[in-house]
Amino acid sequence: EAGTRATRQTIDLDAFTDDPEHFVSFITTRVQDTGELMKPIVYGGYKSNLMFLFKRYRYIPRAGYSVELKEYMDGLKRIANEARAAGE
């Protein structure tokens, strides 16, 4: 029936937020055309987009998810900064 099937790729927020590593693994595949890591602010933008999806769909992730995600993101941003400083 019309309107009962998604016309685009959808995301299962319950499965996606089971472990913050799922999200971090996804965004670390996003690199520049040269294969270098993006600027840390870009990865922060991806996290912001995820938080917008939570708000938009009134989704509440499991307790502790946001704290764990912040720790992963801090590490990712640190690695991105170090890679950029080393010229990678």
Side-chain angles (χ1 to χ4, degrees):
E1 291 180 32
T4 60
R5 298 182 55 91
T7 57
R8 298 186 179 163
Q9 186 175 6
T10 59
I11 183 170
D12 179 350
L13 289 174
D14 286 328
F16 197 68
T17 58
D18 178 47
D19 185 342
E21 190 172 350
H22 296 288
F23 179 69
V24 173
S25 294
F26 168 72
I27 64 172
T28 53
T29 63
R30 305 299 179 249
V31 293
Q32 296 181 27
D33 293 337
T34 60
E36 297 174 343
L37 291 174
M38 302 274 190
K39 292 180 180 179
I41 196 165
V42 174
Y43 294 114
Y46 284 117
K47 179 186 174 196
S48 178
N49 291 335
L50 178 64
M51 296 300 124
F52 172 76
L53 284 176
F54 292 167
K55 182 178 178 180
R56 169 70 176 85
Y57 293 102
R58 295 182 180 102
Y59 179 79
I60 300 172
R62 66 171 174 75
Y65 179 81
S66 295
V67 172
E68 293 171 19
L69 181 59
K70 181 184 180 327
E71 291 173 3
Y72 274 97
M73 292 300 297
D74 288 347
L76 172 60
K77 289 177 183 181
R78 180 180 38 77
I79 291 169
N81 270 327
E82 290 171 358
R84 293 184 65 77
E88 297 176 20

